[in-house]
Structures are given as structure tokens and as C-alpha cells.
Amino acid sequence: MEQKLYAIVDGGSIVTPKGFKAAGLHCGLKKTDRHDLGAIVCDVAATAAAVYTTNAVQAAPLQVTRESLRSGKLRAIVVNSGNANACTGKQGLEDAYVMRSSAAEQFDVAEDDVAVASTGVIGELLPMDRVTSGITGLPARLSGDAEGAEAFSQAILTTDLVKKEACVTVKVNGVDVTIGGAAKGSGMIHPNMATMLGFVTTDAAIDQEALQQLLRDTTNTTFNMITVDGDTSTNDMLIAMASGLAGNEPLTPAHADWEAFAAGFHDVCRVLAMAIARDGEGASKLIEVRVKGAECDEDAQAIAKTVIGSSLVKSAMFGADANWGRIIAAVGRAGRPVNPETVDIHIGPIHVLEQSRPVPFDEEAALAYLQGSMVEIDVDLHIGSGCATAWGCDLTYDYVRINAAYRT
Amino acid sequence: MEQKLYAIVDGGSIVTPKGFKAAGLHCGLKKTDRHDLGAIVCDVAATAAAVYTTNAVQAAPLQVTRESLRSGKLRAIVVNSGNANACTGKQGLEDAYVMRSSAAEQFDVAEDDVAVASTGVIGELLPMDRVTSGITGLPARLSGDAEGAEAFSQAILTTDLVKKEACVTVKVNGVDVTIGGAAKGSGMIHPNMATMLGFVTTDAAIDQEALQQLLRDTTNTTFNMITVDGDTSTNDMLIAMASGLAGNEPLTPAHADWEAFAAGFHDVCRVLAMAIARDGEGASKLIEVRVKGAECDEDAQAIAKTVIGSSLVKSAMFGADANWGRIIAAVGRAGRPVNPETVDIHIGPIHVLEQSRPVPFDEEAALAYLQGSMVEIDVDLHIGSGCATAWGCDLTYDYVRINAAYRT
């Protein structure tokens, strides 16, 4: 992609694509006065697709959302933060259905046109009086302007410090198609098949199966390539909605502009995924690990995720310590083919290992590089052409502080 | 094992079994004046067995030790700490051979009767003048008394805070057979097929193949069931030496006292493995996770190791927070069969989850329990009879502090 097939929309969001409005408010699930309830609503029946956590223990809203997605269409998504509605048994499932029916009533759409998502503490029942009362306040706040997206983005955060948004525009049949996204996620982040919570909107007309496949493929190289702590949540979900209001001929992989659309879609997801990694609990810096020269892409992915997930590598990055020994140890334990004699490692611009042998380097230059807010680690295995990129963050005192007292 | 088949030897060590001496001294590999070079020597050719790290990147001493072990016999083991001699290329391999030949000369045994082990920083060449000069000081310090074992146990430590020793005695053919052990390990601990460094001595007469198989089986339920940080080292190695001087008829699985010997051997390894977990880098408490009711033992092992390895569970335990949501989330992401409706969880005496539903509990009682130095977590999946136990430690500020500045 020397020439970009899409253009970034500065300040764009989930409401930039035609047909979408969003809202957010505080209904009392969080102890602070931060927003904790939000919705995305589409003016028309949007073509929809979703991917979910692979955790065997799945939260109640996932079951309800799967049911709504059967039709491949959605009109609205209602989301709460502060309470995950996970491990809450039959009552939890009933509560998720009530969230859905309340939202359907308020937005005047069918129940199975509504998806439900929750994030927060596991194992506590939702205070449904607050939730349903909050939902009645959403319609009046729905907005297609930036304020609506802003309120929604705030409403889905838990331990996140910043909102995560992205937006690009692509030419399809000569018309402008826009893709926007919002996500949350900071801890219990090691997505597999899906992310924490992610929402992608577009005004493209697109075939439902094509959208589902694109969402799955894109997830594998974006949200599935980030890790904060190796813990896969019970609530991860990524939903895409396409209003079709841009006026293009429906997209399928056979469409002449499919490649451009897919590239733009990928970029929205990549930006959101990197934003989650950068905002990992307690993180002081973003780490990008690029692996090449593996036997295949899948091996490269496994190795990149092992390096980015290593507590020892993460601690060393926090300490601005160019401790490549931990990087090669992580490469070696990933369980994928590695020639222990041919590994090259760069930490940023600094060559630290060549053909598995230490390269003398300027420790002060390394320290200066590692004290920055982003660290890039390149690993070349020199045994094939497989490559992958993974994102994560450093392991800091703040990660421990945040997680030693999350419930309190 | 209602009736114990073996007796614990208080204050026993690797030199308690007949025929073994040990030594340790400071040769200058550590920046402090702590011991960093040690040896175990047997008066006779000991039947020997070993297991090694599964990391694809293996340190030079492992290659040399594998070569020595081909005969199934050993007379001596020489070990250094402070430098892992890993990722050191041909020079590192030559250095490991020189360690072996120097020790062979000093102990007056054949080169291939000597095993070599190293632990410490990866990627730096050993200062061989200090090592070889140190080795010449070992013979005079060899001792069959407690002081020899003490010096050896100190010499193998890196970030460990305490030495790890264990000893039991078993009746075999009516004679007393003794089994002693020493180990080190504190960080980069997630053994797979072997531990950091572990040494087991016994005066039992035992068939070599039986010893190798026993070592492998025992490792699977002891050293392979601990994790500190999920990182598998390049240097993990566990060696067993049997002098045969107890006077028993050679042990094989067909021997009438095999079960007693295996139980005693298992106990020595379990005590050492638990000691490594308890002394995990920065640990404030030992965590034991017991899983039962899984489809098979292997599933139970995978689930127990996922729970004990979860950064979120580990942080919660540090914070004395009975956050069982993180425990069930870890159970669910282990990739093994779980019925999400039938999980029971106890944290110590406190029942927190029954049939996957939260049980109201006394938060103050939970806090008091979790502030202790050991936490037991019981998970019952209620779908089969597979069970396993894993050990680990909490994730603390000190873990981050230690690993943010290990090299400096």
C-alpha cells in the first residue's frame, strides 16, 4: 500500500458515516459521575456483523446479541459500562433481554434489531432500575454530531484513560464511503476472535456475508494482535453496522473498489486496536513488535504475541532497559519453528542481536530511545517469509496498583 | 497417601544421601560478594537423568550436559550463577566445555562425567578467567556436611531471596534410602519439561531408565506446575544423581518399594517447586490452585496453570481482593472443556461461586484470609474426574521494580 487507498478523517467518529446517531449518559452504574450508558442508532436497517470472545464463559449480553444478529441486520446497539453482566445466571440473561426490549421501545425498533453489550465488574447483577430509567433518557440525547459520538465513547470506558475513535473515507463507485469506529479496553485484554468492545459504523452498502468475513479477517490482524495482560475477557465483542446510505453499488470481494474499502476498514480497526494497547492499564508506553522471516504468518503472529505478552519484556520496557535476552527467550518459547542461530533483533534503530549473537551497542542511545512513548521491536528469524505485527504496552507499578484494588 | 510412605528429614539436603559432597564460593560473577560458583560431587559413578527446557533457544551448558548424560552416569555437576551463558554463540559453547574440563580436572574424573549448568543474565560471555580460577578453589571446599550444601545452595541463587532445599528418607528392602534436593528460580519461571535449576541426589540404587522416567513424570506434576511470570527460560534444567550406596536392590517400577521411593522423590520435587513459587520475584504470598472435576488431568493442569498465570488474578491476590470474576474468566479462556453453568470456586474456606452463580460472602472474612501468606483457590468444574494442582505467587510492585532494572 505505497499509495493509500483511503483518507483519514480528522475528528471523525462513529456518527460520521451517513445514517448514524449516538448518545451517552450517566445512569448510576459507575461510582463516579462518568457516563456509563450509551447507544448507537441507525436511521435504517443496517447490515450487521459481529465477532465474539472465545472465552468458554461468555457474558449474558453476548447471548442476546448473537440472537439479534441472526437476521444480519441491526438498528441499534445499547451498551453499559461498570458492570459486565457476566456470571449472573438466569437473572443476568433476563436483564440483558430487558435492556434490549427497553432500548427497542425507546428507539421504536424491533427487539431483534437491537444488540446489547456490557463491560465492567464480573458477577454482580445489574441494578436494572437505573439501567431502564437511563435508557429512557437516551432518545433525547441521540445526536449525529460530534457530541453524540463523544458521549458514547465516554460511556463505554472502564479503567480506560482516553476514548478510542477512528474514521476514514474511501471512494467506492466514485462516491465517498465513510467508516468510523469506537472501542474500549484497558485491562483483561488478550483478545482472541474479538476485542473488548468495538463498534464500527459505515455508510457503505455491503453484502452481509462479505461484511462478516471482512470483520473476521480484519480482527485477526488488528484486535487479535494486541495484548495488555494475557487475560481474555468474558465480554469481548466487535460489531460492525453498515447503513448503505452512501449510495455505492453493494460491496463484495468482487467489487472493483473492494480492496480500497477493506484497506480503510482495516485501518479503522488497527487504529482502535493500537489505541487500546497504548491505553493498557498502567501503561507508560506503546510497544509494537514486528516479526518477519517466520515460516508462515501464523507462526509470526504467535511469536509476536508471545514477545508482546512477556511480563519480563514488558517490565524491561518500563525500565527503559534494552534487555534483548528476554526478547529472544520469548521468541524461543512461543512453540513455533525458530532457528536459534539466525535471529536478528532491533530495538528501535538499535541493532542488538545479529544471527543470534549480541551486537555491542551504545547503552545511552538505547536508554534515550526506550524512554520515549513508543517502542518498536523488530525480530527477523531468517527462515521464511511469514510476518506479523503485534501491539502491547509496558508493565508498570500502576498496572499492579490498578488491579490490586479494582473492585474496591 | 493417607499413610506416608516416606519420612521428611529435617535439615536434610543434597549431601544427606550417601556419597555426595557439595561446595560453593564467590568467583566474581555477581557484583555482590554472594556465592556464584558451586559443585556437587559423588564418590562413585552415579546413575543420572535430566530434563531440560522446551525453549527453542537453549543455553550452551545444556548442550554440554546432554552430551555428558548420554552415558547415563555422572560424577559431578558444576554450576555458576550471575551469567546464563545463553545466546553466546560458539565462544559460549567453548566456554561451557572449558567449565566442564576444568571441573573434571579438579575433581579427577572424566570430562563426560561432569554436567554443567548456568543461570543469570542472557547474552554476555562468561569471564572465563574468574570461572576457571574459581573452579580450582572448589575441591578444597567440598564437604559432606551441611555447610557444603549450604554453600552450594547459595551459589545457585540469582534474584532468589532464600535457598530451596528438601530431603526425605524411604525404606527400600528394609534399608534407609535418602533423597535430597536443591533448586533455584525466582523469575522467568514457567517451566515446561524442566525447571530453572534443580538438583536431586539419592543414595538409592536405581535403574537408569526408571530414574529418567520417574524424573520426567514427577516434573510434570511438580516443577511443570509452577509459574511466576509465564516466561520459560533458556536454561532450565533438572538433574538427578543416584549413588547406589544405600545398599538396596536396584529400583525399577517392578520393585516392591517403588511406590514408596517414587512418593518420596515426588515430595522432594514438590517441596522445591513450591519453594520456587513462594520465592517468585517480588512475591508476597504463595498461591495454590487446585482444579478438580475436569474431563481429564491434562485439562485440569491447563486450567490450573491458566489461573495461576493470570496477571489479573495475581494482582487481585496481592490486593487481598476476592475477585473471583477473574478466576472464572481465566478458567474460561484456558481452551479446555468447561461447562459455564456448573463451576464452583472456593477461595480458602470461602465459597464464592456455586454452579457458576455468585455466593454472597463476608468480605471482611475474605480480606482477613487473603492477607495471609498463602492463598488456596479451589475450582470444581463438575464435568469429570480430572484434577491437578498448580503453584504461583502474587504480582506485586516489587516484581515490576526487580524486572524494570535487572541488568543495571
Side-chain angles (χ1 to χ4, degrees):
Chain A
M1 283 197 308
E2 287 303 298
Q3 201 186 343
K4 276 207 176 168
L5 300 168
Y6 54 87
I8 291 163
V9 180
D10 281 333
S13 70
I14 46 168
V15 298
T16 310
K18 289 172 190 152
F20 292 94
K21 294 187 178 69
L25 54 77
H26 175 75
C27 77
L29 303 177
K30 284 178 183 163
K31 285 169 188 163
T32 64
D33 60 358
R34 291 169 64 196
H35 286 3
D36 49 22
L37 186 73
I40 303 173
V41 178
C42 187
D43 293 340
V44 296
T47 300
V51 287
Y52 310 92
T53 184
T54 52
N55 198 309
V57 177
Q58 301 203 341
L62 275 71
Q63 189 169 330
V64 173
T65 295
R66 273 179 212 276
E67 212 178 283
S68 292
L69 257 290
R70 269 187 218 138
S71 64
K73 297 278 175 189
L74 280 182
R75 285 291 303 276
I77 306 172
V78 61
V79 193
N80 76 272
S81 58
N83 182 316
N85 194 9
C87 298
T88 43
K90 277 183 194 160
Q91 184 61 49
L93 190 59
E94 276 174 34
D95 292 346
Y97 278 118
V98 170
M99 271 182 79
R100 184 172 77 157
S101 60
S102 302
E105 192 186 340
Q106 291 300 318
F107 302 135
D108 195 20
V109 299
E111 284 191 24
D112 69 357
D113 281 341
V114 180
V116 181
S118 299
T119 177
V121 177
I122 296 174
E124 291 180 10
L125 291 172
L126 279 167
M128 285 307 291
D129 50 339
R130 296 184 196 177
V131 173
T132 50
S133 150
I135 288 173
T136 63
L138 286 172
R141 286 177 174 79
L142 279 176
S143 161
D145 297 335
E147 67 199 277
E150 167 74 22
F152 176 83
S153 289
Q154 294 294 344
I156 61 178
L157 306 184
T158 54
T159 51
D160 307 60
L161 296 178
V162 297
K163 61 173 182 163
K164 288 103 187 161
E165 292 180 329
C167 189
V168 304
T169 181
V170 192
K171 288 277 183 208
V172 178
N173 299 129
V175 302
D176 285 326
V177 160
T178 306
I179 307 166
K184 67 83 49 183
S186 189
M188 206 178 270
I189 294 282
H190 186 78
N192 199 353
M193 275 286 291
T195 182
M196 291 302 287
L197 295 182
F199 307 95
V200 180
T201 58
T202 176
D203 46 21
I206 181 168
D207 172 72
Q208 200 275 334
E209 277 181 34
L211 182 62
Q212 179 68 49
Q213 190 59 45
L214 179 62
L215 188 67
R216 190 165 289 140
D217 292 346
T218 302
T219 300
N220 280 337
T221 54
T222 57
F223 293 105
N224 282 358
M225 289 307 289
I226 60 172
T227 190
V228 169
D229 50 19
D231 279 280
T232 304
S233 152
T234 51
N235 288 53
D236 296 348
M237 186 175 356
L238 173 64
I239 304 181
M241 291 172 79
S243 71
L245 298 177
N248 61 295
E249 288 165 28
L251 283 154
T252 70
H255 192 292
D257 294 319
W258 175 259
E259 198 193 339
F261 181 78
F265 194 91
H266 185 276
D267 199 60
V268 166
C269 292
R270 183 185 59 78
V271 168
L272 295 175
M274 287 177 70
I276 290 175
R278 189 188 290 275
D279 194 24
E281 284 176 342
S284 80
K285 61 192 75 178
L286 175 68
I287 307 173
E288 177 170 300
V289 175
R290 296 183 291 244
V291 174
K292 67 177 181 178
E295 278 194 2
C296 60
D297 288 354
E298 215 179 47
D299 286 353
Q301 284 183 347
I303 291 164
K305 283 196 81 166
T306 303
V307 174
I308 207 83
S310 160
S311 292
L312 289 170
V313 172
K314 290 156 64 76
S315 305
M317 295 302 104
F318 172 53
D321 179 3
N323 196 324
W324 57 263
R326 294 177 181 174
I327 299 171
I328 183 123
V331 168
R333 74 174 162 83
R336 302 293 173 137
V338 170
N339 180 340
E341 307 297 329
T342 62
V343 182
D344 272 24
I345 298 177
H346 285 78
I347 298 176
I350 298 150
H351 199 172
V352 293
L353 199 72
E354 183 170 18
Q355 297 289 302
S356 299
R357 303 288 300 278
V359 179
F361 60 88
D362 180 345
E363 292 273 1
E364 291 203 7
L367 182 66
Y369 174 75
L370 289 169
Q371 283 172 337
S373 64
M374 177 163 183
V375 172
E376 296 171 298
I377 297 173
D378 282 284
V379 176
D380 191 342
L381 304 177
H382 292 293
I383 57 172
S385 58
C387 60
T389 302
W391 299 275
C393 58
D394 53 345
L395 175 59
T396 69
Y397 296 120
D398 275 351
Y399 177 87
V400 177
R401 183 183 54 73
I402 291 164
N403 285 300
Y406 179 61
R407 291 193 321 154
T408 51
Chain B
M1 282 198 308
E2 286 303 299
Q3 201 185 342
K4 276 209 177 166
L5 300 169
Y6 54 87
I8 290 162
V9 181
D10 281 332
S13 71
I14 45 168
V15 299
T16 311
K18 288 174 191 152
F20 292 93
K21 294 186 178 70
L25 54 77
H26 174 73
C27 77
L29 302 177
K30 285 179 183 162
K31 285 170 190 163
T32 64
D33 60 357
R34 290 169 66 199
H35 286 2
D36 49 23
L37 186 72
I40 304 174
V41 177
C42 186
D43 294 340
V44 297
T47 300
V51 287
Y52 309 91
T53 184
T54 52
N55 198 308
V57 176
Q58 301 204 339
L62 276 71
Q63 190 169 330
V64 174
T65 296
R66 273 179 211 277
E67 212 179 282
S68 292
L69 257 289
R70 269 186 216 139
S71 65
K73 295 280 175 187
L74 280 183
R75 284 291 302 277
I77 306 172
V78 61
V79 193
N80 75 274
S81 59
N83 182 316
N85 194 9
C87 298
T88 43
K90 278 183 193 159
Q91 184 62 49
L93 190 59
E94 276 173 36
D95 292 346
Y97 278 119
V98 170
M99 272 182 78
R100 183 172 78 157
S101 60
S102 302
E105 192 187 338
Q106 290 300 318
F107 301 137
D108 196 20
V109 299
E111 284 191 23
D112 71 354
D113 280 342
V114 180
V116 181
S118 299
T119 176
V121 177
I122 295 174
E124 292 180 11
L125 290 172
L126 279 167
M128 286 306 291
D129 50 340
R130 295 183 197 178
V131 173
T132 50
S133 150
I135 289 173
T136 63
L138 288 172
R141 285 175 173 81
L142 280 175
S143 161
D145 296 337
E147 66 198 275
E150 168 74 22
F152 176 84
S153 290
Q154 294 294 344
I156 60 178
L157 306 184
T158 55
T159 50
D160 307 60
L161 296 178
V162 298
K163 61 176 181 160
K164 289 99 185 165
E165 292 181 327
C167 190
V168 305
T169 181
V170 192
K171 288 276 183 205
V172 178
N173 299 127
V175 302
D176 285 326
V177 160
T178 306
I179 306 166
K184 69 83 49 183
S186 190
M188 208 178 268
I189 295 282
H190 187 78
N192 198 355
M193 275 287 289
T195 180
M196 290 303 286
L197 295 181
F199 306 94
V200 179
T201 58
T202 176
D203 46 19
I206 181 168
D207 172 72
Q208 199 276 334
E209 278 181 33
L211 182 62
Q212 179 67 50
Q213 190 59 45
L214 178 63
L215 188 66
R216 189 164 289 141
D217 292 348
T218 303
T219 300
N220 280 339
T221 54
T222 57
F223 292 105
N224 282 357
M225 290 306 290
I226 61 172
T227 190
V228 168
D229 50 20
D231 279 281
T232 304
S233 154
T234 51
N235 288 54
D236 295 350
M237 188 176 352
L238 174 64
I239 304 180
M241 292 172 77
S243 70
L245 297 177
N248 62 294
E249 287 166 27
L251 283 155
T252 70
H255 192 290
D257 294 320
W258 175 259
E259 198 193 338
F261 181 77
F265 193 92
H266 185 276
D267 198 60
V268 166
C269 291
R270 183 185 60 78
V271 168
L272 295 176
M274 288 177 70
I276 290 175
R278 186 188 292 273
D279 193 23
E281 286 176 342
S284 81
K285 59 193 73 176
L286 175 69
I287 306 173
E288 178 170 300
V289 175
R290 295 182 292 243
V291 173
K292 66 178 181 178
E295 277 194 1
C296 61
D297 288 353
E298 216 179 46
D299 286 352
Q301 285 183 347
I303 291 164
K305 283 197 80 166
T306 303
V307 174
I308 206 85
S310 160
S311 292
L312 289 169
V313 172
K314 290 156 63 76
S315 305
M317 295 302 106
F318 172 54
D321 178 3
N323 196 323
W324 56 264
R326 297 179 180 175
I327 299 171
I328 184 130
V331 168
R333 75 174 161 84
R336 303 293 175 136
V338 169
N339 180 340
E341 308 297 329
T342 62
V343 182
D344 271 25
I345 298 178
H346 284 78
I347 298 176
I350 299 150
H351 199 173
V352 293
L353 199 72
E354 183 170 18
Q355 297 289 302
S356 299
R357 303 288 300 278
V359 180
F361 60 89
D362 180 344
E363 291 273 1
E364 291 204 8
L367 182 66
Y369 173 74
L370 288 169
Q371 284 172 337
S373 64
M374 178 162 182
V375 171
E376 295 170 298
I377 297 173
D378 282 283
V379 176
D380 191 343
L381 303 177
H382 292 292
I383 58 173
S385 59
C387 59
T389 303
W391 299 276
C393 58
D394 53 346
L395 175 60
T396 68
Y397 296 119
D398 275 350
Y399 178 85
V400 178
R401 182 183 55 73
I402 291 164
N403 286 300
Y406 179 59
R407 291 193 319 155
T408 50

